[in-house]
Amino acid sequence: MNSIVYLVPLFGVIGLLYTAWKFSWVSRQEAGDENMQRLSGYIADGAIAFLKAEWRVLAMFAIPTAIVLAWLGMDEGTPENPIHSSPIIAVAFLIGAIFSAFAGYVGMKVATKANVRTAHAARTSLAKALNVSFTGGAVMGMGVAGLAILGLGGLFIAFYNIFAQGQGLTSEGMRQAIEVLAGFSLGAESIALFARVGGGIYTKAADVGADLVGKVEAGIPEDDVRNPATIADNVGDNVGDVAGMGADLFGSYVATILATMVLGQEISVTDNYGGFSPVLLPMLIAGVGLLASMVSTFFVRVKNETDSVQNALNLGNWLSIVITLVASYFLVKEILPETLNLRGFEFTSMDVFYAIVVGLIVGTLMSIITEYYTAMGKRPVDSIVQKSGTGHATNIIGGLAVGMESTVLPILVLAAGIIFSYAFAGIYGVSIAAAGMMATTAMQLAIDAFGPIADNAGGIAEMSQLPPEVRERTDNLDAVGNTTAATGKGFAIASAALTSLALFAAFVGISGISAIDIYKAPVLAGLFVGGMIPFIFSALCISAVGKAAMEMVNEVRRQFREIPGIMEYKAQPEYEKCVEISTKASIKQMILPGAIALLVPVLVGFGFKGVFETTSSAEILGGLLAGVTVSGVLMGIFQSNAGGAWDNAKKSFEKGVLIDGKTYKKGSEPHKAAVTGDTVGDPFKDTSGPSMNILIKLMSIVSLVIAPYIAVHKTTAVASEITTEVVATETLSKELSTGVNLSFAQGGIEDQLIKFIENADSVAGKENWFNFVNLNFETGSDKLDSTSISEVNNISEILKAFPAVAIKLGGYTDNVGASASNLELSSKRAAAVKAALVALGTDATRLESEGYGDQHPAASNDTEEGRAKNRRIAVSVRKK
């Protein structure tokens, strides 16, 4: 493999160095007066307390899961259906989980530093406030991307050296290396789901409780220091919108690159990089995307109070996309050969570039469409504002309508993206389009994370009773942040759709199925069940928010009722009680939704294995994944956009809105209706909606990891591969390096073994099996027939002539009698041949033996001739 691969972890290191530099810069900014720092400390302490509690629960999940993965990784499968895994997959899983959790921690840590510093900077100017808040977001964006690239690149190099050193891209060793690497993605996505759901429940329980009692019942401003839930609300912004989002996009980023690598491993090419270019390309694109994002952060600036913050962020976003596009062109032309072929679909290197262009266009269009449906001043949000004039119910009706309408254009864009990227480069094109779209994740996340920082800054400004112009500046940033958060979620869902399709294609290849036939009743049933899962997942998330919010509402009411002097600023609310409610509720309620995503593929894959005679569990699981993907994408877009539109409809009242010729502001009846709509939309946009993209990818990754264990037995294909029994029509003679002159039948096992060993392009592994032709045993016994020992002698001489070769002997029987006794007999017969070879002078360390009983017959068991062919000993070359 070419040394260019070492650029990948280097890109990650550069990203982390940038992260450390900007983190240090944020830390050096002024943090305001003592009161501001005290309030910021409450928020930081609450966020850390939540993460510690969450990590304890996640450790209880991660460690047993790693043990199960290690146990599964010890299963090598059978010669006909080898399992290309290893116990090391457990290590990859744990590293992915730790990196994902750490990505969230980095984002949360910088956000709790940047919030108070942004509030203080807003005392000076909008430009300085944007600089601090966006730099805080950039720390998170570059940190997440840097960790992902470092982890993927470093583990890829390590696993290549462990499993496939010196082997080609399409070798069994490389397949094993990449399948073990899937454990890294599984760990990342698993933690991301729990972090996203748990953080979402936390933040929305606090937000809903603070809004309903504080703003609606008590009539005090948002983030008023008198509201007992306001600290929990601000903590929630960090653990949900920052830590949760960081873990979320870390998992998305890794899954997208991995999906492309899994498909690229199937492509055999001749290039200047040892044939590895189809796997290297997605990692290198991610690396240059990170560099492009770093460069683009320096262009996100405003000069005057009236400058558009949205335009400044858009400039940085567009610049990162353009730089990535140009760099991708040169990358593709440099490393890919002129033509490639995947599963019979032939395409050129320029076709791959065009697919990347499609991915970037799809991502851009998704952001534009999402911005249109969620931004203030646009028709969708204005329509909700107008409906607020007639009450709470019409506001909610308007928001639901906007959310449903907002699915149309994104789905059409996604469908066109899938069609065009596939037309250019087949299923590899779809996957590389997703990789191209996700290449600028660092910038997307920087833009996304700046919103919660600005929101927290506004909260601190309100609680600290800073001058009105400070809150105006933070509200300006916050309003834009709501839109960027919504566009980020739309972007993530779009990439999840393309990534899930690529993961689905990889699952189909590994599981051995050729198509998902919905005409089969079990597959159709799986499709319907899959379509249902996002609904029950959303119901659990929203219900969890409702339950926690009820506790929060009761606690806030209790404090207003029982602690005299709160409303007169004479007594301080018990903020810690509200923080405790959100923490306990979110940790408890996140378990069941997360378990659904992890366990359903396992239950379907293993639970229906062998149940239906003509339909495999892999096909049923494929139907389930199709249903989950389509339904989940629609639900994710609908909920995220509806929630974002409701939120900005509420914020529109802060500057005043015109309804039927009359101006309404905060505190008016239409504003109260808008607050209710925002409250309904909160769990939509921050809990269940953004979790959809993790749900569909995590279920695909779990399915990919278990695919080898539920694979359809390729009996027909294997039979043609290993059933090499021939009638000797010609005797060949060959002098070996030891001086022995060997005589054997043309096409016999000796002929095949020598050709395989001497062929420089052949690769030793689990799938290279050759049958003895004339090796017989006494009936029902493991004793070799004395008349058929010549082939064993010949194999012994070949092993002496090629001292580096190691082999494995596999024993098989027919299906007559009990399976247990067949397995025992086949094991004894394979061991007998091994013993005979040892007796003839072969070192026992070069030999393995295993019995497979009546599994995977080479011929029909309906005839005696077929049963005779099934009673065989086969040889596999494990080392050359």
Tab-separated table of all heavy atoms in Angstrom, residues 189-211:
chain	number	residue	atom	x	y	z
A	189	GLU	N	-21.526	5.371	16.260
A	189	GLU	CA	-22.960	5.606	16.063
A	189	GLU	C	-23.771	5.193	17.291
A	189	GLU	O	-24.789	5.818	17.610
A	189	GLU	CB	-23.457	4.838	14.833
A	189	GLU	CG	-23.005	5.425	13.504
A	189	GLU	CD	-23.743	6.705	13.137
A	189	GLU	OE1	-24.496	7.238	13.977
A	189	GLU	OE2	-23.568	7.173	12.012
A	190	SER	N	-23.346	4.144	17.990
A	190	SER	CA	-24.071	3.716	19.184
A	190	SER	C	-24.064	4.805	20.249
A	190	SER	O	-25.112	5.174	20.799
A	190	SER	CB	-23.446	2.436	19.756
A	190	SER	OG	-23.485	1.392	18.824
A	191	ILE	N	-22.888	5.343	20.531
A	191	ILE	CA	-22.778	6.406	21.531
A	191	ILE	C	-23.505	7.659	21.051
A	191	ILE	O	-24.153	8.361	21.829
A	191	ILE	CB	-21.300	6.718	21.829
A	191	ILE	CG1	-20.609	5.471	22.406
A	191	ILE	CG2	-21.182	7.897	22.791
A	191	ILE	CD1	-21.258	4.892	23.638
A	192	ALA	N	-23.411	7.936	19.744
A	192	ALA	CA	-24.073	9.121	19.188
A	192	ALA	C	-25.575	9.064	19.409
A	192	ALA	O	-26.204	10.074	19.741
A	192	ALA	CB	-23.760	9.245	17.699
A	193	LEU	N	-26.159	7.892	19.227
A	193	LEU	CA	-27.612	7.782	19.387
A	193	LEU	C	-28.016	8.069	20.832
A	193	LEU	O	-28.929	8.863	21.093
A	193	LEU	CB	-28.093	6.394	18.972
A	193	LEU	CG	-29.614	6.205	19.048
A	193	LEU	CD1	-30.325	7.111	18.059
A	193	LEU	CD2	-30.006	4.756	18.801
A	194	PHE	N	-27.340	7.441	21.774
A	194	PHE	CA	-27.675	7.671	23.174
A	194	PHE	C	-27.408	9.130	23.564
A	194	PHE	O	-28.198	9.746	24.308
A	194	PHE	CB	-26.871	6.734	24.080
A	194	PHE	CG	-27.346	5.314	24.049
A	194	PHE	CD1	-26.560	4.299	23.512
A	194	PHE	CD2	-28.590	4.973	24.555
A	194	PHE	CE1	-26.996	2.988	23.485
A	194	PHE	CE2	-29.035	3.662	24.538
A	194	PHE	CZ	-28.241	2.668	23.993
A	195	ALA	N	-26.294	9.695	23.077
A	195	ALA	CA	-25.966	11.080	23.414
A	195	ALA	C	-26.999	12.033	22.831
A	195	ALA	O	-27.414	13.002	23.483
A	195	ALA	CB	-24.575	11.428	22.895
A	196	ARG	N	-27.432	11.757	21.600
A	196	ARG	CA	-28.392	12.630	20.933
A	196	ARG	C	-29.761	12.541	21.603
A	196	ARG	O	-30.402	13.557	21.873
A	196	ARG	CB	-28.493	12.219	19.455
A	196	ARG	CG	-29.210	13.195	18.545
A	196	ARG	CD	-28.735	14.563	18.813
A	196	ARG	NE	-28.676	15.408	17.665
A	196	ARG	CZ	-28.861	16.718	17.732
A	196	ARG	NH1	-29.154	17.296	18.881
A	196	ARG	NH2	-28.727	17.471	16.673
A	197	VAL	N	-30.215	11.316	21.855
A	197	VAL	CA	-31.526	11.136	22.484
A	197	VAL	C	-31.503	11.653	23.921
A	197	VAL	O	-32.387	12.403	24.346
A	197	VAL	CB	-31.950	9.658	22.436
A	197	VAL	CG1	-33.219	9.442	23.248
A	197	VAL	CG2	-32.183	9.217	20.999
A	198	GLY	N	-30.479	11.250	24.686
A	198	GLY	CA	-30.396	11.696	26.074
A	198	GLY	C	-30.266	13.201	26.189
A	198	GLY	O	-30.965	13.846	26.987
A	199	GLY	N	-29.382	13.788	25.382
A	199	GLY	CA	-29.219	15.234	25.401
A	199	GLY	C	-30.471	15.955	24.943
A	199	GLY	O	-30.837	17.009	25.482
A	200	GLY	N	-31.150	15.385	23.938
A	200	GLY	CA	-32.379	15.993	23.439
A	200	GLY	C	-33.488	15.980	24.476
A	200	GLY	O	-34.232	16.955	24.620
A	201	ILE	N	-33.622	14.881	25.201
A	201	ILE	CA	-34.636	14.797	26.261
A	201	ILE	C	-34.327	15.814	27.356
A	201	ILE	O	-35.215	16.532	27.841
A	201	ILE	CB	-34.697	13.373	26.845
A	201	ILE	CG1	-35.207	12.383	25.794
A	201	ILE	CG2	-35.598	13.336	28.082
A	201	ILE	CD1	-35.069	10.923	26.205
A	202	TYR	N	-33.053	15.909	27.715
A	202	TYR	CA	-32.636	16.852	28.758
A	202	TYR	C	-33.014	18.280	28.370
A	202	TYR	O	-33.689	18.993	29.122
A	202	TYR	CB	-31.123	16.751	28.964
A	202	TYR	CG	-30.595	17.572	30.125
A	202	TYR	CD1	-30.103	16.943	31.253
A	202	TYR	CD2	-30.590	18.962	30.090
A	202	TYR	CE1	-29.612	17.671	32.326
A	202	TYR	CE2	-30.122	19.705	31.151
A	202	TYR	CZ	-29.627	19.066	32.262
A	202	TYR	OH	-29.160	19.796	33.322
A	203	THR	N	-32.531	18.706	27.201
A	203	THR	CA	-32.697	20.115	26.837
A	203	THR	C	-34.155	20.491	26.629
A	203	THR	O	-34.597	21.581	26.993
A	203	THR	CB	-31.855	20.456	25.586
A	203	THR	OG1	-31.983	21.854	25.310
A	203	THR	CG2	-32.303	19.681	24.358
A	204	LYS	N	-34.942	19.587	26.081
A	204	LYS	CA	-36.327	19.953	25.789
A	204	LYS	C	-37.214	19.861	27.020
A	204	LYS	O	-38.169	20.609	27.146
A	204	LYS	CB	-36.872	19.090	24.663
A	204	LYS	CG	-36.226	19.393	23.315
A	204	LYS	CD	-36.337	20.884	22.950
A	204	LYS	CE	-35.035	21.620	23.069
A	204	LYS	NZ	-35.104	23.050	22.700
A	205	ALA	N	-36.893	18.969	27.944
A	205	ALA	CA	-37.647	18.931	29.201
A	205	ALA	C	-37.470	20.253	29.945
A	205	ALA	O	-38.441	20.842	30.456
A	205	ALA	CB	-37.175	17.771	30.068
A	206	ALA	N	-36.218	20.727	29.998
A	206	ALA	CA	-35.953	21.996	30.673
A	206	ALA	C	-36.568	23.167	29.925
A	206	ALA	O	-37.166	24.074	30.525
A	206	ALA	CB	-34.443	22.183	30.806
A	207	ASP	N	-36.438	23.148	28.597
A	207	ASP	CA	-36.957	24.243	27.775
A	207	ASP	C	-38.477	24.357	27.894
A	207	ASP	O	-39.035	25.443	28.080
A	207	ASP	CB	-36.550	24.010	26.318
A	207	ASP	CG	-36.661	25.285	25.487
A	207	ASP	OD1	-36.999	26.332	26.046
A	207	ASP	OD2	-36.417	25.213	24.270
A	208	VAL	N	-39.153	23.219	27.765
A	208	VAL	CA	-40.616	23.213	27.841
A	208	VAL	C	-41.073	23.679	29.217
A	208	VAL	O	-41.982	24.515	29.355
A	208	VAL	CB	-41.178	21.809	27.529
A	208	VAL	CG1	-42.673	21.739	27.854
A	208	VAL	CG2	-40.955	21.467	26.048
A	209	GLY	N	-40.439	23.167	30.270
A	209	GLY	CA	-40.815	23.575	31.620
A	209	GLY	C	-40.587	25.058	31.847
A	209	GLY	O	-41.430	25.754	32.447
A	210	ALA	N	-39.453	25.567	31.360
A	210	ALA	CA	-39.145	26.990	31.537
A	210	ALA	C	-40.128	27.866	30.775
A	210	ALA	O	-40.571	28.908	31.276
A	210	ALA	CB	-37.714	27.263	31.076
A	211	ASP	N	-40.481	27.458	29.573
A	211	ASP	CA	-41.383	28.264	28.746
A	211	ASP	C	-42.802	28.276	29.290
A	211	ASP	O	-43.436	29.327	29.414
A	211	ASP	CB	-41.396	27.735	27.307
A	211	ASP	CG	-40.152	28.156	26.529
A	211	ASP	OD1	-39.334	28.899	27.092
A	211	ASP	OD2	-40.006	27.723	25.373
